[in-house]
């Protein structure tokens, strides 16, 4: 039984490497995968890697990076870069910071500049409107929101760029698990907003990468 | 089998009369009920009375009023009144006008002044903010919204009055039937918004009546 | 990355301060927020703050108050007040006491008198009817119920005041999570009842505040 | 292909004959079944038989009985009987009369006396309490309710007999289709209430038959 | 705040005492309730009392009984009785034994003889059919089933007594939480089966008590 | 825009031709497709083709076959064949005959002998057990059931062959739409039953074809 | 009551004009809106305008265009343009053509070249792979799919561009209404796919517009 | 109370022995069952036996086998066999390995050769197509997939054998719990795929056994 069959042509085909989903893999599987990447002197990104598993690999690979809030693991710590910010990642409050960070570090891993703006909730809409000029400079807007998931709709009504909405599982009662935010975003009356799975900061980052890569090639 | 047992003490107990739900009643039942009210020279309000049923009663009672959009029937046409507006009924677009009207005519039936403001959708938030001064004058705000149902959240973040949110069944896909709007309103991060059943313009009006009656009595 | 952008104009706009949702915030975020409030000599309210997090802050701020049942944290302990009760908070049994307390202490934090009445379940409806005279004195009724969520309907059929229904996640089987109670309240045949999110004692209190503030201003 | 294989031993096994569900059967199938019963000089009961189908069979069998509201068809019209009422069928309003009738005529078909009491909604609980003495005389209580479905809970808290709750699909928004009423009844805090499928007046009648038959035999 | 208002008239009204739901009550509340019962020399039944809470009270009341599988607590241990069995409690396998026991001990607490038969699953239907003669002797059949929940349908097709179906939350995938079993029982094509909430062995017992009490009185 | 790109290699790849889903196609599209098949002198099968559409094509192709109950259309009427029955298609009652026929005629189209047995409901389990010897002769059992969907579980407990369960959308209340039957079949405690989509008689037939083709090749 | 408050600044703010949702608007409202656009000599796009409503306006505005399959209405017929295709709109079969057309004509209305490719279902994956070279030339891929909704996942695994997935409500059983396709797309293991509401071809087009506009400006 | 009534005739009836579901059984029950099998010198298979329970029995029966990933327990360790592989068990990634193993060891227990192929995810479809020749040799294909559950559809479009699809509960957001994968498989446009319950590797194995046994007998 051979468990890991590296999709080596993915970079050529899609412009980004294969990335590992950590949540449901065993320690043995992840250990095996990391060794393959390490031997080939490639960097690796693992998403949703639980704390107890991450601990083992941080000890084993002293150069690794792990963000506790987003449970994101990178085999070789990233270098500080100075390139221009292309993506803004917005959220309503500090509760969604895990998802914001998953998007942020995924972009960093792929060498794309991004900025996190995490205090623009709509219950006080002026906190968003006073930042409009700054926001107009980004090429793609990733907007994270839990509870009723309003923020992407308001952003989409004020700004012309691509808006990738990420519902967060933050909330309780009908908001628990993120379905209320998800449906709110899908049903949004703001035109042309697109949506990814609940808590999928990683997927939002990859959608931004698809947009940026396509136009970089022109 | 005696089908209609009028709750005659309701006005004394609650400050408003019994009102009739028309949707699932047979023509015979409604006919019987209207005769009782007519004989006692009382006015009657029937909600969600389908067009085909309403036709029969409009012919029979030439003084009756029927609003096609909201399917609301009133036995004795209301007089124009000049009293001050106490309740504002807001909606995002003209699609929700049936629910707006159900609330509006229920309040009119109970002799409470209301105003309909049906063009304040959040996809262009300025359409709302430029009306803030007018809106501050009302004692209760009823806010109707379909699709993602975000209008009550934005209103609740800008204005201090009681906000009664009414989800509308307007929409398609995940918005169909009004559950997305309902959950969005219940999960709202705006403080102190309350919600009634989907399409329940009547219930929102009655909630406003409870508030106004309680404070009128002081 | 600046995580907390205090909505300083909220009091002026809405008549109540910003309140903090503790459940999904990290210890670091909450610690940072509390320091801001402490420095400005303002009181702060945190809702749904888990026990393990609360412990740390109780030690740090000896003047703080924490109610274990509702997981509600207040930075500066409240003083006993003698003002008249304006809000009654009813529940069917002692199982809902966490939500009752969340509403109660939120009102206390905002200096509004409230009374808790937690033994008026409808399975023995006389326990409610014998308290009707007392209940008529309150301006707003908050009614908490889990399982089938019947209590607000019965209260709304007997009393004329605003009724804010709070579904509780208490129960098992179809009642687990509070959806049965929520839908029962939304579908209620009692006129003019409004509903907030499951377990949202805090939101019910804020809805009461909106009502009371609006009429205090007259 | 032989479509109808009469379960001839059912009466001996269970104490009641096989009954036909009309809704999804073709006209041809029902026609074939009725001929079998007619030839054997047996009476037959068909539930949920749509109007357009029923018309054909009423013409064909002049002795047949059809109740439009419940869509229930009986091959040989029932005789008026004078036996004592054993089952009370309660409902909150006239909207549920279709289900009430389905239970009533099923019992009549099986020669069991029943009484319909259709005006005891809980929004004015006195309408129920003033009938308690009469209700104590029945051996089984069938309680039908749509919307929030609370009537069985109130009945079960006041009366000691078996209570069979029938959720009705009457209502709109979250009440549409009857799930809110169903869950409310299942989650009821009143002890020992049992529930049948939404709109299943027939099933409630059969549950009463099981109870009455078992004790008749003693 | 007075938390426990004993419904002292319940026995006179309904023929059985008030019973305590332990799951969501605090240790303090339960402790207070048990003291009331203990002082009045009454026996008390608590359902769904978690192990960690139960431990405390078993130590405090050496005469108490606690069944770990059903989490049912009785203040004063029951005496062995010799009265005839009136209720049979059937289940498909040993996985449902917690619910079977909840029904069994509730009946025992109310002094009603019952028998547990826990090996009659439908995947090998002969295990049921060979017990038919024994089963015909009981007055009420409580039938517990998880997974697809089909046992009550098969029992109801073979036996004429009242059948009270109890869906169990046993199972995984679509069966997890018991909704598949619940809906299967409600939709049953066997006539006259009634259903209680998922895992509600207690409610099934009380439904049996209502039946037995009504006919004992004749 | 070229709408129909015939998957001409399907027969070689999978052993059966491409089949057309009629429900959501326009008359123009179907007309275009049928012409292609007709010109190539191939037979064609269209599933779930509504009556009003079918009428047009029956007139146009006098040799066509249309089964009204299953809404299945075949371009060239099938010849009576004498080959042995390999598949039994069971159902509980005549209500499911549409799905039974969809499976039956799909198999006939692919030249596979099948037999329909539509009176083996489990409410009287003897109707099934007395047919066991006959049923043992078939290689594959397709079992259709609506409502609670019990039949496949009972069949799977008595017979060793492959059992393909088809949930039917027949029923009302919780059974409406077929989800209750679907979940009951998926959760079945009978070993090794497999399930297809609700009302998918066609898919069940194709699953049988896969089994038969694989072993025919040996 | 003023029903239509044109958001005149939308073009300046977002780069595209306001578009009208026709489904839930009355004939009067739409008539009023079209007059406003007609007088201002602007073109107007109405989505999901039912046939019976559209007929009236086609007669009134002889220059209008209406696509029956997508129910899309354009006030002034579009001119044939020769500009390069920028967006490819893919679907698995002809059943989804309504949604494909909604996206196509929305793009045409906004003067963006698009091509429809409607025969690339995944059940025969070669139909997709043989078109890969053509597909690589487009800047944005809109992918429509009903039933299990897998086409966007396969496309996203083979091509590097932005993929906007549109679930279609085509299908029956668990696929009815489009939720299965929606969830399949949201859960997709292909990286960086984004999703819009069920049947929202219009929204997908607008998302493409946001991407194209942002990069045109560079 | 006798808890375990071995269905001793199952092997004769169905061709496979009774197997034990471990998840919801108590340690006492399982211990009792294992003793029965041990005394009769029969092998026993327990599925979904949690780690803490399994530990006890591994110590007690030194010859036992336990697979941690699938939580599957076998009383007597299996012998290595050399018989031909008849079943292929495919999965997209290593996250589903628990379910793959449950199917694999169940088949091994019943002495059927199987092979695990766990790296054929569709996001890079070539990983599947390059294995087609190998896959054509197996008689039955079990295909496990979580997230959007695409793999069985692609396999079913490329290969002619029976395909038994197993949805995995692997995933988060809308994929959590496996419902998205389940519905995707049921709605699959690939012909003749059948589905078992979420995470039911055991059931898929048994479905394969039914197929193989039926044709072995010929």
């Amino acid at each position: 039984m051979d468990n890991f069959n590296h999709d080596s042509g993915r970079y050529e085909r899609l412009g980004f490497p294969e990335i590992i989903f950590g949540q449901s893999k065993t320690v043995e599987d992840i250990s095996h995968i990391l060794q393959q990447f390490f031997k080939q002197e490639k960097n690796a990104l693992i998403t949703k890697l639980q704390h107890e598993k991450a601990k083992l690999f941080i000890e084993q690979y002293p150069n690794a990076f792990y963000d506790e809030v987003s449970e994101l693991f990178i085999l070789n710590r990233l270098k500080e870069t100075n390139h221009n910010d292309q993506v803004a990642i917005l959220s309503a409050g500090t509760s969604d910071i895990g998802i914001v960070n998953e998007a942020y570090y995924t972009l960093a891993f792929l060498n794309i500049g991004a900025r996190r703006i995490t205090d623009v909730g709509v219950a006080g809409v002026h906190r968003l409107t006073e930042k409009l000029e700054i926001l107009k400079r980004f090429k793609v807007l990733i907007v994270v929101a839990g509870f009723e998931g309003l923020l992407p709709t308001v952003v989409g009504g004020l700004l012309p760029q691509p808006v990738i909405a990420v519902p967060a599982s933050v909330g309780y009662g009908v908001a628990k698990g993120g379905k209320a935010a998800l449906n709110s975003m899908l049903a949004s009356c703001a035109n042309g907003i697109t949506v990814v799975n609940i808590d999928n900061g990683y997927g939002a980052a990859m959608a931004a990468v698809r947009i940026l890569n396509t136009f970089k090639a022109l």
Side-chain angles (χ1 to χ4, degrees), chain A:
Chain A
M1 190 176 61
D2 182 24
N3 282 330
F4 190 72
N5 180 359
H6 190 58
D7 179 10
S8 54
R10 185 168 298 188
Y11 189 86
E12 288 65 36
R13 220 166 56 240
L14 301 181
F16 45 80
E18 190 169 7
I19 275 160
I20 300 119
F21 176 63
Q23 194 175 68
S24 52
K25 289 201 175 59
T26 61
V27 167
E28 288 69 30
D29 282 332
I30 296 170
S31 179
H32 179 66
I33 293 169
L34 286 178
Q35 280 168 34
Q36 287 194 17
F37 277 88
F38 192 75
K39 279 187 209 154
Q40 299 172 28
E41 295 191 3
K42 285 187 181 168
N43 199 359
L45 175 63
I46 308 181
T47 62
K48 306 211 189 295
L49 186 70
Q50 295 92 332
H51 294 206
E52 61 274 28
K53 293 188 203 163
K55 268 188 203 163
L56 303 170
F57 300 114
I58 293 167
E59 286 173 18
Q60 200 178 342
Y61 298 97
N63 213 22
F65 167 84
Y66 182 65
D67 178 56
E68 290 213 353
V69 191
S70 60
E71 302 190 317
L72 181 145
F73 178 96
I74 297 176
L75 187 54
N76 300 312
R77 198 181 300 271
L78 306 169
K79 294 158 204 155
E80 288 289 323
T81 60
N82 263 331
H83 48 208
N84 290 329
D85 291 347
Q86 306 215 63
V87 180
I89 309 168
L90 289 81
S91 78
T94 55
S95 294
D96 309 318
I97 197 66
I99 305 170
V100 169
N101 277 7
E102 190 178 280
Y104 179 79
Y105 289 117
T106 298
L107 289 169
F109 174 79
L110 296 167
N111 212 29
I112 292 170
R115 195 183 302 175
R116 290 168 285 181
I117 301 168
T118 61
D119 58 350
V120 289
V122 290
V125 94
H126 61 95
R127 288 189 289 193
L128 177 62
T129 49
E130 68 195 22
K131 290 216 166 91
L132 280 184
E133 284 313 306
I134 296 169
L135 291 170
K136 281 180 187 166
R137 296 182 210 148
F138 294 90
K139 293 208 189 64
V140 178
L141 305 174
I142 291 173
V143 188
V144 182
F147 286 96
E148 89 291 359
L150 167 63
L151 190 57
T153 293
V154 177
V155 170
L158 294 168
L159 287 159
Q161 300 105 307
V163 173
I164 301 164
V166 193
S169 60
V170 168
Y172 60 92
V174 299
K176 194 175 179 182
K179 286 262 172 80
L182 170 65
N183 288 335
S184 171
M185 292 168 180
L186 287 166
S188 173
C189 59
N191 297 294
I193 287 178
T194 62
V195 187
V196 296
N197 194 9
I198 297 162
D199 289 345
N200 193 5
Y202 161 72
M206 296 309 281
V209 170
R210 284 181 179 268
I211 294 172
L212 295 168
N213 276 1
T214 297
F215 288 91
K216 200 170 57 186
L218 296 184

